[in-house]
Amino acid sequence: MKEKVWACMSGLIELVALHSRGRFPALPVEFTALEVKTTGLRPGRVIELAAVRFRADGQVVAEFSSVINPGPGVSPGWEWAHGLTRGELDRAPAFGSILGPVLDLCRGSVVVAHELPSVGEFLSTELARAGVQLPTLPGVSAKDSLKAAIRLPNYRLDTVAHAFGVEGLVARSALSSARVTARVVSLLVGVHGLAFVNPPRIPALPRYAAGGSPVVRAMLPASGGGWMAEAVERVPTDPALSGAIDQAYLDLLAAAVGDQHISPDETWSLAALAMEAGLSDEVVRSIHTNFVSALRAVAESDGVVTDAEMRELSQVAKALQAENVLVGLRPAKDGHETVRVLVLGTSAQADEMRARVLDGNMRLAKKLTASVTHLVHDATVPPDEPRLKRATELGADVLDLKAAAVALGLAEAVKTPAPATVVVPPVVSQSGQRRSNVMPSQPNPTFPPHSGQQTPLRAQSTGVLVLGRLMMALGLLVMFIVVVAMFGGTPLGAGIFGAVIGLAFLLGGWLVAEEGQGSRGRKPIANGS
């Protein structure tokens, strides 16, 4: 795996990959997670910046966050997505004013971002506008590291947070996203054992004085929840989306849909953002159609489509002008109980279990409710954990990871082992007949165990084998004498005659020995088979 430099305006970020095959430990290194909120997909201005300095063991060293004023007259853009108004931006400092505290956190560390190329590009643009030039910083793409470590339907930050059991994510807050990214990366290093593929080169950073007081906004609780929020997490990444802007638009669409509805204002805002980013109508329609198709597949995957699910699907399909995707879909219940799994634990195996549930035809619960059918726990969960007892009272199956893998169909049940067999190389006789290459480890019950005494048949076959080998030896001796005699001047005719006799003994002895060998391998079978 080679390092590469993201194509940012100023070459700001140099990727340092974290991977299970990495050879350079990441535990001694400190990281700084960066997150931004912007006015659009591309182009766009940074209107909020957060930085969280943390150690690989998960301990947070320091953090910084502020709303940023992009300048007078700049529209905040997709307000429904980031929640910032023009009035809030007017009261905030400029990007250059908060650069000093952010660089102080980044100094001597490796920067991290969930969407590293996007964050790096926006920051590079803002630095260029401010006339600031920085040395290249080593950076980790959390999304790329996750793809190398664990399989998920998609790698949006809310899906990742759910799979890793990380709470506290608020979609509208840059600081919340930076905190979750920091926690996920610390788990990748400390629990999953990822290391650097190449050692990071950490440069010296200039110092800038703070030019204004940061404006930190309150983090309001997210409005998402219900079936649609869960369904969005299970929608797989669209393989047809190769461009970063296409994927960014899909992520924004998923965020809009995940709060259980998508309003007309959000629909129009999405269309404007797509146009501003240069996405064609054809590309947008394809993204919408594929997204609604994936939501339908999620709804049908567990064999149950409820009235509520049908209403939410229809509302989203209508808003995205993809109603044709739902043709033929009807609410139906086949009596199959929806499997809803809550996984407790902080081990890598618990993370893997959550990921497999998300990637399967089951629902991954965030908390214990009466709808949870299975509570799964690893060895890090103490026996007196109250939720274990409460889950039993609610009628849920309480299982450890190994038992849960079997019960949920994620692994085969342990079966009673069959009698062991010893496999030997296949043998092909001179007649072309293939003998069995599997021998039972226990004596065949048809015959008594071998007592060490040869049977008459075995003794007879041994004598035939010895006779054959003696004839072969005699034939070789005759041919050797003939060759020596011919060198000594024996006539040609006599030599040929002697050679024929020697060859006859040789071939005859070989046939006799083969017959004796075959007799040794044959056993009398009572049923004649």
Side-chain angles (χ1 to χ4, degrees), residues 89-112:
L89 301 184
D90 289 337
R91 297 190 294 271
F95 179 84
S97 299
I98 57 92
L99 184 59
V102 173
L103 290 182
D104 288 342
L105 288 185
C106 293
R107 185 170 289 105
S109 70
V110 174
V111 300
V112 175

Side-chain angles (χ1 to χ4, degrees), residues 207-228:
R207 295 188 178 275
Y208 292 89
S213 299
V215 173
V216 182
R217 59 170 173 162
M219 291 187 289
L220 300 176
S223 60
W227 177 81
M228 187 59 73

Side-chain angles (χ1 to χ4, degrees), residues 33 52 60 63 166 168 174-184 219:
V52 176
V60 174
E63 57 184 30
V166 178
L175 180 58
S176 166
S177 298
R179 287 171 174 170
V180 171
T181 299
R183 181 58 182 158
V184 168
M219 291 187 289

Side-chain angles (χ1 to χ4, degrees), residues 67-74 85-94 215:
V67 179
I68 296 172
N69 187 349
V74 177
T85 65
R86 182 62 247 188
E88 290 175 289
L89 301 184
D90 289 337
R91 297 190 294 271
V215 173

